[in-house]
Amino acid sequence: MRRLEFDEYINKHKTMARRIWLDAEGARDGSHRNVRRRPKSKEEIEILTRLAKARLDRARSTGELIMVGPGRYRLRVFE
């Protein structure tokens, strides 16, 4: 049997193993979305948060989202 140096083997195959793992994780969910490989910038997080808050406020004001109890909401989609 051939002997391998573990750290050397890991460093040599790390990128290939990571890509295979990411592809397998994406396929497991059934979606074919690509996995995001870089973190979001601070500006992007702020913009996305502002958009999500605006969407939530609009849903509340139109009656699409109703608070029915503490921490419980009802979303009206098909009316």
Side-chain angles (χ1 to χ4, degrees):
M1 179 177 264
R2 207 169 87 188
R3 290 189 90 158
L4 296 174
E5 183 64 37
F6 183 71
D7 292 331
E8 182 182 323
Y9 182 83
I10 292 296
N11 288 334
K12 183 178 177 184
H13 294 88
K14 185 183 267 185
T15 56
M16 181 180 64
R18 182 176 172 87
R19 178 166 306 281
I20 291 169
W21 182 81
L22 288 171
D23 290 342
E25 284 294 309
R28 184 172 62 156
D29 294 339
S31 68
H32 299 291
R33 284 183 55 211
N34 289 333
V35 177
R36 186 177 183 95
R37 287 175 171 73
R38 64 174 175 82
K40 291 181 172 82
S41 68
K42 200 172 193 178
E43 297 165 346
E44 187 177 4
I45 291 171
E46 290 174 3
I47 291 169
L48 291 172
T49 302
R50 200 174 313 143
L51 287 171
K53 285 182 180 180
R55 192 177 308 127
L56 180 65
D57 291 340
R58 186 179 65 232
R60 284 182 180 166
S61 67
T62 61
E64 185 179 352
L65 184 69
I66 301 169
M67 186 170 190
V68 293
R72 297 191 61 203
Y73 294 88
R74 178 177 294 135
L75 182 64
R76 296 178 184 216
V77 181
F78 300 110
E79 282 190 23

Coordinates of all heavy atoms in Angstrom, one line a residue:
M1 N 0.8 -1.2 0.0 CA 0.0 0.0 0.0 C 0.9 1.2 0.0 O 1.9 1.3 0.7 CB -0.9 0.0 1.2 CG -1.8 1.2 1.3 SD -2.9 1.1 2.7 CE -4.3 0.4 1.9
R2 N 0.4 2.2 -0.7 CA 1.2 3.5 -0.9 C 1.0 4.4 0.4 O -0.1 4.5 0.9 CB 0.7 4.2 -2.1 CG 1.7 5.1 -2.7 CD 1.2 5.5 -4.1 NE 0.4 6.7 -3.9 CZ -0.3 7.3 -4.8 NH1 -0.4 6.7 -6.0 NH2 -1.0 8.4 -4.6
R3 N 2.0 5.0 0.8 CA 1.9 5.9 2.0 C 1.8 7.4 1.4 O 2.4 7.7 0.5 CB 3.2 5.9 2.8 CG 3.3 4.6 3.6 CD 4.4 4.7 4.6 NE 3.8 5.2 5.8 CZ 4.3 5.1 7.0 NH1 5.5 4.5 7.1 NH2 3.8 5.5 8.0
L4 N 0.9 8.1 2.1 CA 0.6 9.5 1.7 C 0.9 10.4 2.9 O 0.5 10.0 4.0 CB -0.8 9.7 1.2 CG -1.2 8.9 -0.1 CD1 -2.7 9.1 -0.3 CD2 -0.4 9.4 -1.3
E5 N 1.4 11.5 2.6 CA 1.5 12.6 3.6 C 0.2 13.3 3.7 O -0.2 13.9 2.7 CB 2.7 13.5 3.3 CG 2.9 14.6 4.4 CD 3.3 14.0 5.7 OE1 4.1 13.0 5.7 OE2 2.9 14.6 6.7
F6 N -0.5 13.3 4.8 CA -1.9 13.8 4.9 C -2.0 15.2 4.5 O -2.8 15.7 3.7 CB -2.5 13.5 6.3 CG -3.9 13.9 6.4 CD1 -4.9 13.2 5.8 CD2 -4.2 15.1 7.2 CE1 -6.2 13.6 5.9 CE2 -5.5 15.5 7.3 CZ -6.5 14.7 6.7
D7 N -1.2 16.1 5.2 CA -1.2 17.5 4.9 C -0.9 17.9 3.5 O -1.6 18.7 2.9 CB -0.3 18.3 5.8 CG -0.7 18.2 7.3 OD1 -1.9 18.1 7.5 OD2 0.2 18.2 8.2
E8 N 0.0 17.2 2.9 CA 0.4 17.4 1.5 C -0.8 17.0 0.6 O -1.1 17.8 -0.4 CB 1.6 16.6 1.1 CG 2.1 16.8 -0.3 CD 3.4 15.9 -0.5 OE1 4.2 15.8 0.4 OE2 3.4 15.4 -1.6
Y9 N -1.4 15.9 0.9 CA -2.5 15.4 0.1 C -3.7 16.4 0.1 O -4.3 16.8 -0.9 CB -2.9 14.1 0.5 CG -4.1 13.5 -0.2 CD1 -3.9 12.8 -1.4 CD2 -5.4 13.6 0.2 CE1 -4.9 12.3 -2.2 CE2 -6.4 13.1 -0.5 CZ -6.2 12.4 -1.7 OH -7.2 11.9 -2.4
I10 N -4.0 16.9 1.4 CA -5.1 17.8 1.6 C -4.8 19.1 0.8 O -5.7 19.7 0.1 CB -5.3 18.1 3.1 CG1 -5.8 16.9 3.8 CG2 -6.3 19.3 3.3 CD1 -7.2 16.4 3.3
N11 N -3.6 19.7 0.9 CA -3.3 20.9 0.2 C -3.4 20.8 -1.3 O -3.8 21.7 -2.0 CB -1.9 21.4 0.6 CG -1.9 22.0 2.1 OD1 -2.9 22.4 2.6 ND2 -0.8 21.9 2.7
K12 N -3.0 19.6 -1.8 CA -3.0 19.4 -3.2 C -4.4 19.3 -3.8 O -4.7 19.7 -4.8 CB -2.2 18.1 -3.5 CG -2.1 17.8 -5.0 CD -1.2 16.6 -5.2 CE -1.2 16.2 -6.7 NZ -0.4 15.0 -6.9
H13 N -5.3 18.7 -3.0 CA -6.7 18.4 -3.5 C -7.8 19.2 -2.9 O -8.9 19.0 -3.1 CB -7.0 16.9 -3.3 CG -6.1 16.0 -4.0 ND1 -4.9 15.5 -3.6 CD2 -6.3 15.5 -5.3 CE1 -4.4 14.8 -4.5 NE2 -5.2 14.7 -5.5
K14 N -7.4 20.3 -2.1 CA -8.4 21.1 -1.4 C -9.4 21.8 -2.3 O -10.6 21.7 -2.1 CB -7.7 22.1 -0.5 CG -8.6 22.9 0.4 CD -7.9 23.9 1.1 CE -7.5 23.4 2.5 NZ -6.9 24.3 3.4
T15 N -8.9 22.4 -3.4 CA -9.8 23.2 -4.3 C -10.7 22.3 -5.0 O -11.9 22.6 -5.1 CB -9.0 24.0 -5.3 OG1 -8.1 23.2 -6.0 CG2 -8.2 25.1 -4.6
M16 N -10.3 21.1 -5.5 CA -11.1 20.2 -6.2 C -12.2 19.6 -5.2 O -13.4 19.5 -5.6 CB -10.3 19.0 -6.8 CG -11.1 18.0 -7.5 SD -10.1 16.7 -8.2 CE -9.5 15.9 -6.7
A17 N -11.8 19.3 -4.0 CA -12.7 18.7 -3.0 C -13.8 19.7 -2.6 O -14.9 19.4 -2.5 CB -12.0 18.2 -1.8
R18 N -13.4 21.0 -2.5 CA -14.3 22.0 -2.1 C -15.3 22.2 -3.2 O -16.5 22.4 -3.0 CB -13.6 23.3 -1.9 CG -14.5 24.5 -1.4 CD -13.7 25.7 -1.1 NE -14.5 26.8 -0.9 CZ -15.1 27.2 0.3 NH1 -14.8 26.4 1.3 NH2 -15.8 28.2 0.4
R19 N -14.9 22.3 -4.5 CA -15.8 22.4 -5.6 C -16.8 21.2 -5.7 O -18.0 21.4 -5.8 CB -15.1 22.5 -6.9 CG -16.0 22.6 -8.1 CD -15.3 23.1 -9.4 NE -14.6 24.3 -9.2 CZ -15.1 25.5 -9.3 NH1 -16.4 25.7 -9.4 NH2 -14.4 26.6 -9.1
I20 N -16.3 20.0 -5.5 CA -17.2 18.9 -5.5 C -18.2 18.9 -4.3 O -19.4 18.7 -4.5 CB -16.4 17.6 -5.4 CG1 -15.6 17.4 -6.7 CG2 -17.3 16.4 -5.1 CD1 -14.6 16.3 -6.6
W21 N -17.8 19.4 -3.2 CA -18.6 19.5 -2.0 C -19.7 20.5 -2.2 O -20.9 20.3 -2.0 CB -17.8 19.8 -0.7 CG -18.7 19.9 0.5 CD1 -19.1 18.8 1.2 CD2 -19.2 21.1 1.1 NE1 -19.9 19.3 2.3 CE2 -19.9 20.7 2.2 CE3 -19.1 22.4 0.8 CZ2 -20.6 21.6 3.0 CZ3 -19.7 23.3 1.6 CH2 -20.4 22.9 2.7
L22 N -19.3 21.7 -2.8 CA -20.3 22.8 -3.0 C -21.3 22.3 -4.1 O -22.5 22.6 -3.9 CB -19.6 24.0 -3.5 CG -18.8 24.8 -2.4 CD1 -17.9 25.9 -3.0 CD2 -19.7 25.3 -1.4
D23 N -20.9 21.7 -5.1 CA -21.8 21.2 -6.1 C -22.8 20.1 -5.5 O -24.0 20.1 -5.8 CB -21.1 20.5 -7.3 CG -20.3 21.6 -8.1 OD1 -20.6 22.8 -8.0 OD2 -19.4 21.2 -8.9
A24 N -22.3 19.3 -4.7 CA -23.1 18.3 -4.0 C -24.1 18.9 -3.1 O -25.3 18.5 -3.1 CB -22.3 17.3 -3.3
E25 N -23.7 19.9 -2.4 CA -24.7 20.7 -1.5 C -25.8 21.3 -2.3 O -26.9 21.3 -1.9 CB -23.9 21.7 -0.6 CG -23.1 21.1 0.5 CD -24.0 20.5 1.5 OE1 -25.0 21.1 2.0 OE2 -23.8 19.3 1.9
G26 N -25.4 21.9 -3.4 CA -26.4 22.6 -4.2 C -27.4 21.6 -4.9 O -28.6 21.9 -5.0
A27 N -26.9 20.4 -5.3 CA -27.7 19.4 -5.9 C -28.6 18.8 -4.9 O -29.7 18.3 -5.2 CB -26.9 18.4 -6.6
R28 N -28.2 18.7 -3.6 CA -29.0 18.0 -2.6 C -30.3 18.8 -2.3 O -31.3 18.1 -2.1 CB -28.2 18.0 -1.3 CG -28.9 17.2 -0.2 CD -28.0 17.0 1.0 NE -27.6 18.3 1.5 CZ -27.3 18.4 2.8 NH1 -27.2 17.4 3.6 NH2 -26.9 19.6 3.2
D29 N -30.3 20.1 -2.4 CA -31.5 20.8 -2.2 C -32.5 20.7 -3.4 O -33.7 21.0 -3.2 CB -31.2 22.3 -2.0 CG -30.5 22.6 -0.7 OD1 -30.5 21.7 0.2 OD2 -29.8 23.6 -0.6
G30 N -32.1 20.3 -4.5 CA -32.9 20.2 -5.7 C -32.9 21.4 -6.5 O -33.5 21.5 -7.6
S31 N -32.2 22.5 -6.0 CA -32.1 23.7 -6.8 C -30.8 23.7 -7.6 O -29.9 23.0 -7.2 CB -32.1 24.9 -5.9 OG -31.0 25.0 -5.1
H32 N -30.8 24.4 -8.7 CA -29.6 24.4 -9.5 C -28.9 25.8 -9.4 O -28.3 26.2 -10.3 CB -30.0 24.1 -10.9 CG -30.5 22.7 -11.1 ND1 -29.8 21.6 -10.9 CD2 -31.8 22.3 -11.4 CE1 -30.5 20.6 -11.1 NE2 -31.8 21.0 -11.3
R33 N -29.1 26.5 -8.3 CA -28.5 27.8 -8.0 C -27.0 27.6 -7.8 O -26.6 26.6 -7.1 CB -29.1 28.5 -6.8 CG -30.5 29.1 -7.1 CD -31.0 29.8 -5.9 NE -30.0 30.8 -5.5 CZ -29.8 31.2 -4.2 NH1 -30.5 30.7 -3.3 NH2 -28.9 32.1 -3.9
N34 N -26.2 28.5 -8.2 CA -24.8 28.5 -7.9 C -24.6 29.0 -6.4 O -25.4 29.8 -5.9 CB -24.0 29.4 -8.8 CG -24.0 28.9 -10.2 OD1 -24.0 27.7 -10.4 ND2 -23.8 29.8 -11.1
V35 N -23.6 28.4 -5.8 CA -23.3 28.8 -4.4 C -22.5 30.1 -4.4 O -21.5 30.2 -5.2 CB -22.6 27.7 -3.7 CG1 -22.2 28.1 -2.3 CG2 -23.4 26.4 -3.7
R36 N -22.8 31.0 -3.6 CA -22.1 32.3 -3.5 C -20.7 32.0 -2.9 O -20.6 31.5 -1.8 CB -22.9 33.3 -2.7 CG -22.2 34.7 -2.7 CD -23.1 35.7 -2.0 NE -22.5 37.0 -2.0 CZ -22.9 37.9 -2.9 NH1 -23.8 37.6 -3.8 NH2 -22.3 39.1 -2.9
R37 N -19.7 32.4 -3.6 CA -18.3 32.1 -3.1 C -17.6 33.3 -2.5 O -16.5 33.1 -2.0 CB -17.5 31.5 -4.3 CG -17.9 30.1 -4.7 CD -17.2 29.6 -5.9 NE -17.5 28.2 -6.1 CZ -18.6 27.7 -6.6 NH1 -19.6 28.5 -6.8 NH2 -18.7 26.5 -6.8
R38 N -18.2 34.5 -2.6 CA -17.5 35.6 -1.9 C -18.5 36.2 -1.0 O -19.7 36.2 -1.2 CB -17.0 36.6 -2.9 CG -18.1 37.3 -3.8 CD -17.6 38.3 -4.7 NE -18.6 38.9 -5.5 CZ -19.5 39.8 -5.1 NH1 -19.4 40.3 -3.9 NH2 -20.4 40.2 -5.9
P39 N -18.0 36.8 0.1 CA -18.9 37.4 1.1 C -19.5 38.7 0.5 O -18.9 39.4 -0.4 CB -18.1 37.7 2.3 CG -16.7 37.7 1.8 CD -16.6 36.8 0.6
K40 N -20.7 39.1 1.0 CA -21.3 40.3 0.6 C -20.6 41.5 1.2 O -20.1 41.4 2.3 CB -22.8 40.4 1.0 CG -23.7 39.4 0.3 CD -25.1 39.5 0.8 CE -26.0 38.7 0.0 NZ -26.1 37.3 0.4
S41 N -20.5 42.6 0.5 CA -19.9 43.8 1.0 C -20.8 44.5 2.0 O -22.0 44.2 2.0 CB -19.5 44.8 -0.1 OG -20.7 45.3 -0.7
K42 N -20.3 45.4 2.8 CA -21.1 46.1 3.7 C -22.2 46.9 3.1 O -23.3 47.0 3.5 CB -20.1 47.0 4.5 CG -20.7 47.5 5.8 CD -19.6 48.2 6.6 CE -20.0 48.4 8.0 NZ -19.0 49.0 8.8
E43 N -21.8 47.5 1.9 CA -22.8 48.3 1.2 C -24.0 47.4 0.7 O -25.1 47.8 0.7 CB -22.2 49.0 0.0 CG -21.1 50.1 0.4 CD -20.3 50.5 -0.7 OE1 -20.3 49.8 -1.8 OE2 -19.6 51.5 -0.5
E44 N -23.6 46.3 0.1 CA -24.6 45.4 -0.4 C -25.5 44.9 0.7 O -26.7 44.8 0.5 CB -23.9 44.2 -1.1 CG -24.8 43.2 -1.8 CD -24.1 42.1 -2.5 OE1 -22.9 42.0 -2.4 OE2 -24.8 41.4 -3.2
I45 N -25.0 44.6 1.9 CA -25.8 44.2 3.0 C -26.8 45.3 3.4 O -28.0 45.0 3.6 CB -24.9 43.8 4.2 CG1 -24.2 42.5 3.9 CG2 -25.8 43.6 5.5 CD1 -23.1 42.1 4.9
E46 N -26.3 46.5 3.4 CA -27.2 47.6 3.8 C -28.3 47.8 2.8 O -29.5 48.0 3.1 CB -26.4 48.9 3.9 CG -25.5 48.9 5.1 CD -24.5 50.1 5.1 OE1 -24.7 51.0 4.2 OE2 -23.7 50.2 6.0
I47 N -28.0 47.7 1.5 CA -29.0 47.9 0.4 C -30.0 46.7 0.5 O -31.2 47.0 0.4 CB -28.3 47.9 -0.9 CG1 -27.5 49.2 -1.1 CG2 -29.3 47.8 -2.1 CD1 -26.6 49.2 -2.3
L48 N -29.6 45.5 0.7 CA -30.5 44.4 0.7 C -31.4 44.5 2.0 O -32.6 44.1 1.9 CB -29.7 43.1 0.7 CG -29.0 42.7 -0.6 CD1 -28.2 41.5 -0.5 CD2 -30.1 42.5 -1.7
T49 N -30.8 44.9 3.1 CA -31.6 45.1 4.3 C -32.7 46.2 4.1 O -33.8 46.0 4.5 CB -30.7 45.5 5.5 OG1 -29.7 44.4 5.7 CG2 -31.5 45.6 6.8
R50 N -32.3 47.3 3.5 CA -33.2 48.4 3.2 C -34.4 47.9 2.3 O -35.5 48.2 2.5 CB -32.5 49.5 2.6 CG -33.3 50.8 2.7 CD -32.5 52.0 2.2 NE -31.1 52.1 2.7 CZ -30.1 52.5 2.0 NH1 -30.2 52.9 0.8 NH2 -28.9 52.5 2.5
L51 N -34.0 47.1 1.3 CA -35.0 46.6 0.4 C -36.0 45.6 1.1 O -37.2 45.6 0.8 CB -34.4 45.9 -0.8 CG -33.7 46.8 -1.9 CD1 -32.9 46.0 -2.8 CD2 -34.7 47.6 -2.6
A52 N -35.4 44.8 1.9 CA -36.3 43.8 2.7 C -37.2 44.5 3.6 O -38.4 44.2 3.7 CB -35.4 42.8 3.4
K53 N -36.7 45.6 4.3 CA -37.6 46.3 5.2 C -38.7 47.1 4.4 O -39.9 47.1 4.9 CB -36.8 47.4 6.0 CG -36.0 46.7 7.1 CD -35.2 47.8 7.9 CE -34.4 47.1 9.0 NZ -33.6 48.1 9.8
A54 N -38.4 47.6 3.3 CA -39.4 48.3 2.4 C -40.4 47.3 2.0 O -41.6 47.6 2.0 CB -38.7 49.0 1.2
R55 N -40.0 46.1 1.6 CA -40.9 45.0 1.2 C -41.9 44.6 2.3 O -43.1 44.4 2.1 CB -40.2 43.8 0.6 CG -41.0 42.8 -0.1 CD -40.2 41.7 -0.7 NE -39.0 42.1 -1.4 CZ -37.8 41.8 -1.2 NH1 -37.5 40.9 -0.3 NH2 -36.8 42.2 -2.0
L56 N -41.3 44.5 3.5 CA -42.1 44.2 4.7 C -43.1 45.3 5.0 O -44.3 45.0 5.3 CB -41.2 43.9 5.9 CG -41.8 43.5 7.2 CD1 -42.5 42.2 7.1 CD2 -40.8 43.5 8.3
D57 N -42.6 46.5 5.0 CA -43.6 47.6 5.3 C -44.7 47.7 4.3 O -45.8 48.0 4.6 CB -42.8 48.9 5.3 CG -41.8 49.0 6.5 OD1 -42.0 48.3 7.5 OD2 -40.9 49.9 6.4
R58 N -44.4 47.5 3.0 CA -45.4 47.5 2.0 C -46.4 46.4 2.2 O -47.6 46.6 2.0 CB -44.8 47.4 0.6 CG -45.8 47.6 -0.6 CD -45.1 47.5 -1.9 NE -44.6 46.2 -2.2 CZ -43.4 45.9 -2.6 NH1 -42.5 46.9 -2.8 NH2 -42.9 44.7 -2.7
A59 N -45.9 45.2 2.5 CA -46.9 44.1 2.8 C -47.8 44.3 4.0 O -48.9 44.0 3.9 CB -46.1 42.8 3.0
R60 N -47.2 45.0 5.0 CA -48.0 45.3 6.2 C -49.1 46.4 5.8 O -50.2 46.3 6.2 CB -47.1 45.8 7.3 CG -46.4 44.7 8.0 CD -45.6 45.3 9.2 NE -44.9 44.3 9.9 CZ -43.9 44.6 10.7 NH1 -43.5 45.8 11.0 NH2 -43.3 43.6 11.3
S61 N -48.7 47.4 5.1 CA -49.6 48.5 4.8 C -50.7 48.1 3.8 O -51.8 48.6 3.9 CB -48.8 49.7 4.2 OG -48.3 49.4 2.9
T62 N -50.5 47.1 2.9 CA -51.5 46.7 2.0 C -52.4 45.6 2.6 O -53.4 45.2 2.0 CB -50.9 46.1 0.7 OG1 -50.0 45.0 1.0 CG2 -50.1 47.2 0.0
G63 N -52.0 45.1 3.8 CA -52.8 44.0 4.4 C -52.4 42.6 3.9 O -53.1 41.6 4.3
E64 N -51.4 42.5 3.2 CA -50.9 41.2 2.7 C -50.3 40.4 3.8 O -50.4 39.2 3.9 CB -49.9 41.5 1.6 CG -49.4 40.2 0.9 CD -48.4 40.5 -0.2 OE1 -48.2 41.7 -0.5 OE2 -47.8 39.6 -0.7
L65 N -49.7 41.1 4.8 CA -49.1 40.5 6.0 C -49.8 41.1 7.2 O -49.8 42.3 7.4 CB -47.6 40.8 6.0 CG -46.8 40.1 7.1 CD1 -46.7 38.6 6.9 CD2 -45.4 40.7 7.3
I66 N -50.3 40.2 8.0 CA -51.1 40.6 9.2 C -50.5 39.9 10.4 O -50.2 38.7 10.4 CB -52.6 40.2 9.1 CG1 -53.2 40.8 7.8 CG2 -53.4 40.5 10.3 CD1 -54.5 40.3 7.5
M67 N -50.3 40.7 11.5 CA -49.8 40.1 12.7 C -51.0 39.5 13.5 O -51.9 40.2 13.8 CB -49.1 41.1 13.6 CG -48.4 40.6 14.8 SD -47.4 41.9 15.5 CE -46.5 40.9 16.7
V68 N -51.0 38.2 13.8 CA -52.1 37.5 14.4 C -51.8 37.2 15.9 O -52.7 36.8 16.6 CB -52.5 36.2 13.7 CG1 -53.1 36.6 12.4 CG2 -51.3 35.3 13.6
G69 N -50.5 37.4 16.3 CA -50.2 37.2 17.7 C -48.7 37.5 17.9 O -48.0 37.9 16.9
P70 N -48.2 37.4 19.1 CA -46.8 37.7 19.3 C -45.9 36.7 18.6 O -45.9 35.5 18.8 CB -46.6 37.6 20.8 CG -47.8 36.9 21.3 CD -48.9 37.0 20.3
G71 N -45.2 37.3 17.6 CA -44.3 36.4 16.8 C -45.0 35.6 15.7 O -44.4 34.7 15.1
R72 N -46.3 35.8 15.5 CA -47.1 35.1 14.5 C -47.7 36.0 13.5 O -48.2 37.0 13.8 CB -48.2 34.3 15.2 CG -47.6 33.2 16.2 CD -48.6 32.3 16.7 NE -49.2 31.6 15.5 CZ -50.4 31.0 15.5 NH1 -51.1 31.0 16.5 NH2 -50.8 30.3 14.4
Y73 N -47.5 35.6 12.2 CA -48.0 36.5 11.1 C -48.8 35.6 10.2 O -48.6 34.4 10.1 CB -46.8 37.1 10.4 CG -46.1 38.1 11.2 CD1 -45.0 37.7 12.0 CD2 -46.4 39.4 11.2 CE1 -44.3 38.6 12.7 CE2 -45.7 40.3 11.9 CZ -44.6 39.9 12.7 OH -43.9 40.8 13.4
R74 N -49.7 36.2 9.4 CA -50.4 35.6 8.4 C -50.1 36.3 7.1 O -50.2 37.5 7.0 CB -51.9 35.6 8.7 CG -52.8 34.9 7.6 CD -54.2 34.9 7.9 NE -54.4 34.0 9.0 CZ -55.2 34.3 10.0 NH1 -55.9 35.5 10.1 NH2 -55.3 33.5 11.0
L75 N -49.8 35.5 6.1 CA -49.5 36.1 4.8 C -50.6 35.8 3.8 O -50.9 34.6 3.6 CB -48.1 35.5 4.3 CG -47.6 36.0 2.9 CD1 -47.3 37.5 3.0 CD2 -46.4 35.3 2.5
R76 N -51.3 36.8 3.3 CA -52.4 36.6 2.3 C -51.8 36.7 0.9 O -51.4 37.8 0.5 CB -53.4 37.6 2.6 CG -54.1 37.5 3.9 CD -55.1 38.5 4.1 NE -55.7 38.4 5.4 CZ -56.9 38.6 5.8 NH1 -57.8 39.0 4.8 NH2 -57.3 38.5 7.0
V77 N -51.8 35.6 0.2 CA -51.2 35.5 -1.1 C -52.2 35.5 -2.2 O -52.1 36.2 -3.2 CB -50.2 34.3 -1.2 CG1 -49.6 34.3 -2.6 CG2 -49.1 34.4 -0.1
F78 N -53.2 34.6 -2.1 CA -54.2 34.4 -3.1 C -55.5 35.0 -2.8 O -56.5 34.3 -2.4 CB -54.4 32.9 -3.4 CG -53.1 32.2 -3.8 CD1 -52.4 31.4 -2.9 CD2 -52.5 32.5 -5.0 CE1 -51.2 30.8 -3.3 CE2 -51.3 31.9 -5.4 CZ -50.7 31.0 -4.5
E79 N -55.6 36.3 -2.9 CA -56.9 37.0 -2.7 C -57.2 38.0 -3.7 O -56.4 38.6 -4.3 CB -57.0 37.6 -1.3 CG -57.3 36.6 -0.2 CD -57.6 37.3 1.1 OE1 -58.0 38.5 1.1 OE2 -57.4 36.6 2.1

